[in-house]
Structure formats: C-alpha cells, structure tokens
Amino acid sequence: MPSIDPARKKNLLSRLSRIEGQIRGISRMIEDEQYCIDVLNQISAARSALNSVGQIMLEGHIKGCVTDAIQHGVGDASIDELMDAIKKYTF
Amino acid sequence: MPSIDPARKKNLLSRLSRIEGQIRGISRMIEDEQYCIDVLNQISAARSALNSVGQIMLEGHIKGCVTDAIQHGVGDASIDELMDAIKKYTF
Amino acid sequence: MPSIDPARKKNLLSRLSRIEGQIRGISRMIEDEQYCIDVLNQISAARSALNSVGQIMLEGHIKGCVTDAIQHGVGDASIDELMDAIKKYTF
Amino acid sequence: MPSIDPARKKNLLSRLSRIEGQIRGISRMIEDEQYCIDVLNQISAARSALNSVGQIMLEGHIKGCVTDAIQHGVGDASIDELMDAIKKYTF
C-alpha cells in the first residue's frame, strides 16, 4: 500500500484535532443547557468537518491504493471494498 | 424554554465523551498510517455516533421547546426553526 | 387529521410530475449510453427534488397533524412516529 | 469510454421504470390525501431505490471509465471528477 503524503497527514490530523475541540464544545453547551437549536447547529458543523475528513481519506485512498491495485491488474477487489466504504457515507 | 431532562443530559454527555475518544482513535490510526478503509470505517462509526446525538437532541427539542411553543400558540416560528435544523441533517 | 392545504397539494403534485419527467430523462440517458458522470448528476438532481418533496410533506405534517396532536395532549406518540420518519431521511 | 454492460443497462432501466411507478404512486397518495407519514415512507422508499441506481452507476463508472483512465495514466482528472460526483451523494 502506498504510504500517506506527509502534507495530507498533517492536514488530516489538524482537522481531527479541531473536531475534537468541537465535540468538547458541544459537551460544554449541553452542560450549560444552551438552546437545543444552537447545539444542533454545532453538531451539524462537527458532522460536516468529519465528512470533510472522510472525503480527504477517500480521495487519498482512490488516488493511492485503488489506483495502485488497478495498475497491478487487481482493481476489482479494491473497487468492491471501496464501494462498501462509499455506501456507508452516502446512501 | 423547558430545561433538559437530567438522564438525557447524562446520556448525551457520555455519548459525546465516547465520540471524543473515537476522534482521538482516528488521529492515532492516521499517525500510524493504518489502512485507509479501516480509517474510513472508524470515521463512519464516529459519524453515526454523532448522528445519534443529533437525533436525541432533536427529539428532546421537539418534545420540549416545540411542544411548549405549540401549546402556547406560537408553534409556527418554532417549526420553521426546526425545519431549518432538520434540513442541515437530512437533505 | 387536518386536511392538506390545496396550494401545498398542487405544489407537491407539480413537483412530483417534474420528478417523473426527470426519471424518464435518466432512463433515456442510459438507453443512449451517455457519460456516467452526466447520468450521476441527473440522478443527484432528481434525488434533491425528491428530498424537497419530503421536506414539504414533513413541514406540513408537523404544522398539521403533529401540532394538532400536541394541542390535544397526545403529542408524544405523534412525535415518536415523526422521529422514525425523520431518521429514514437523515441519519 | 467503455460501453455499458447490457445486463447492467437492463437492470438500471428496469429499476428506473419501477421508480417512475413509485413516483406516480406518491402522486396518487397525495391526490387521495393519504396520511403524511405513509407518504413520507413511500418518498423514502423511492429515494432509496434512486440511491441504488446511483450506486450501480457509480460502481460501473469506477470499474469502467475510471479504471480505463488509470490504466492509460490519466487517472487523476478522472478521480477528481469522480470525487465531485461522490460529494453530491454523500457529504
């Protein structure tokens, strides 16, 4: 499997660290009994941030592992596995 | 606005604390350059857990604030606000 | 159960008739073996249009049936049923 | 671009024809003012059926066009285009 690009790795880790902060912020909002709709909006923001991490991983996976598998003539198994991952996010 | 049920609050905080752990786990998987599909599955699991928190908040909001607004004859503004929140998650 | 507003009904039926046309258009694109990405974009457009119909129905349901149930003191069952419907779309 | 597999084409067209019937059924339910939750469930079913068509198209596209592009050393543009399509469905 091709190793992860260092810039991509740093980008992903910094996004995940921000998401951790968002989750802690949501906990504080609930502790403080802030208005539900404001909490829901923060949950939705954290969810979008997590989706972006998923997208970046997915793109890296297709450009790395899946491309590699196709170039070595073993793309089909890799694409089946990819489709399973996509379905978890999408449909 | 009706205050949040203590059991619901505790449930939400414990879920969020688990999600924080999941996010940290995903960071570690990326640090260790684990297989993309495994990372994607963990992201998808954290996303589902966050969605459950959203659902619980939404249900509490409808049973609390929205019900309250409707009973006081000011349901329409509350429902418009609710629809905006639902659209962020759904559509 | 409160009956549906005639303007809302007409709006919904006209949207659904357009969606039927979109679905037929997608069939023709596949018949003609048009480029997958163009077909995927049309499917995504039809899906958004269907989501809008879902949103309009949902809003009408909350403003009609659910509000009615809450005003008659039987909101909880109605909200549980509503949450099940929301989960199918959202989470 | 590789041409579409005849069995896949037939499968897609038969699914789309069923979806057209589902959409017509939803129109009739609204005409007859059936219960909102029942209509919402039918919309959700049509949406799932449309998502399945999207999945089949996506899988065919990856196994056909994208694989082809990668094998010809021009995978990157094809994967960027693919990611745009995936984002419309997923995130």
Side-chain angles (χ1 to χ4, degrees):
Chain A
M1 148 183 58
S3 78
I4 192 172
D5 172 66
R8 183 185 295 268
K9 187 171 173 174
K10 204 178 153 188
N11 178 3
L12 286 167
L13 289 174
S14 121
R15 283 171 184 271
L16 284 163
S17 154
R18 271 202 302 279
I19 293 170
E20 239 190 278
Q22 284 177 294
I23 303 294
R24 267 196 300 274
I26 295 165
S27 293
R28 269 192 307 272
M29 291 178 86
I30 290 173
E31 280 284 11
D32 299 348
E33 305 194 4
Q34 288 188 30
Y35 185 48
C36 317
I37 290 288
D38 295 335
V39 180
L40 280 165
N41 286 343
Q42 286 307 304
I43 295 172
S44 162
R47 192 176 177 257
S48 296
L50 199 54
N51 282 340
S52 294
V53 170
Q55 276 172 50
I56 293 168
M57 283 301 302
L58 196 60
E59 188 175 349
H61 178 62
I62 299 175
K63 291 197 171 168
C65 312
V66 179
T67 294
D68 216 53
I70 289 170
Q71 283 167 345
H72 288 84
V74 290
D76 272 17
S78 181
I79 294 168
D80 289 341
E81 190 187 51
L82 171 68
M83 285 308 300
D84 286 339
I86 290 177
K87 283 174 200 171
K88 282 192 186 139
Y89 284 88
T90 320
F91 297 106
Chain B
M1 152 182 54
S3 79
I4 192 173
D5 172 68
R8 184 185 295 268
K9 187 171 172 171
K10 203 178 155 191
N11 178 4
L12 286 167
L13 289 173
S14 120
R15 283 171 183 270
L16 285 163
S17 155
R18 272 202 302 277
I19 293 171
E20 241 190 276
Q22 284 177 295
I23 303 293
R24 266 196 302 274
I26 295 166
S27 293
R28 269 193 307 271
M29 291 178 86
I30 290 173
E31 279 285 10
D32 299 348
E33 305 195 2
Q34 288 186 30
Y35 185 48
C36 316
I37 291 288
D38 295 336
V39 180
L40 280 165
N41 287 343
Q42 284 308 303
I43 296 172
S44 162
R47 190 176 177 257
S48 297
L50 199 53
N51 283 341
S52 294
V53 171
Q55 277 172 48
I56 294 168
M57 283 300 302
L58 196 60
E59 188 175 350
H61 178 62
I62 300 175
K63 291 197 171 168
C65 311
V66 178
T67 294
D68 216 52
I70 290 170
Q71 283 166 343
H72 289 83
V74 291
D76 271 16
S78 182
I79 294 168
D80 289 340
E81 191 187 50
L82 171 69
M83 284 309 299
D84 286 339
I86 289 177
K87 283 174 199 171
K88 284 193 186 136
Y89 283 89
T90 321
F91 296 108
Chain C
M1 149 183 56
S3 80
I4 192 171
D5 171 68
R8 183 185 295 268
K9 186 171 172 171
K10 205 179 154 189
N11 178 3
L12 285 167
L13 290 173
S14 121
R15 283 171 184 270
L16 284 163
S17 154
R18 272 202 302 280
I19 294 170
E20 241 190 277
Q22 284 177 294
I23 303 294
R24 266 195 301 274
I26 295 166
S27 294
R28 268 193 306 273
M29 290 179 88
I30 289 172
E31 280 284 11
D32 298 350
E33 305 195 3
Q34 288 188 31
Y35 185 48
C36 318
I37 291 287
D38 295 335
V39 180
L40 280 165
N41 287 342
Q42 286 308 304
I43 296 173
S44 161
R47 190 174 177 260
S48 296
L50 200 54
N51 282 340
S52 294
V53 170
Q55 278 171 48
I56 295 168
M57 284 300 302
L58 196 60
E59 188 176 351
H61 178 62
I62 299 174
K63 290 196 171 168
C65 312
V66 179
T67 294
D68 216 53
I70 290 170
Q71 284 166 343
H72 288 83
V74 290
D76 271 17
S78 182
I79 292 169
D80 289 341
E81 188 187 52
L82 171 68
M83 284 309 300
D84 285 340
I86 289 177
K87 283 174 200 171
K88 283 191 187 140
Y89 283 89
T90 320
F91 296 106
Chain D
M1 152 182 55
S3 78
I4 192 173
D5 172 69
R8 185 185 294 268
K9 187 170 173 173
K10 203 178 156 191
N11 178 2
L12 286 167
L13 290 173
S14 121
R15 283 170 183 271
L16 284 163
S17 155
R18 271 202 302 278
I19 293 170
E20 240 190 278
Q22 284 177 294
I23 303 294
R24 266 196 302 275
I26 295 165
S27 294
R28 267 192 308 272
M29 290 178 87
I30 290 172
E31 280 285 9
D32 299 349
E33 305 194 2
Q34 289 187 30
Y35 185 48
C36 316
I37 291 287
D38 294 336
V39 180
L40 279 165
N41 287 343
Q42 285 307 303
I43 295 173
S44 162
R47 190 175 178 260
S48 296
L50 200 52
N51 282 341
S52 295
V53 171
Q55 277 173 47
I56 294 168
M57 283 300 301
L58 196 60
E59 188 175 351
H61 179 61
I62 300 175
K63 291 197 171 167
C65 311
V66 178
T67 294
D68 216 50
I70 290 170
Q71 283 167 343
H72 288 83
V74 291
D76 272 17
S78 181
I79 293 169
D80 289 341
E81 191 187 51
L82 171 68
M83 285 308 301
D84 285 340
I86 289 177
K87 284 173 199 172
K88 283 192 187 139
Y89 283 88
T90 320
F91 296 107

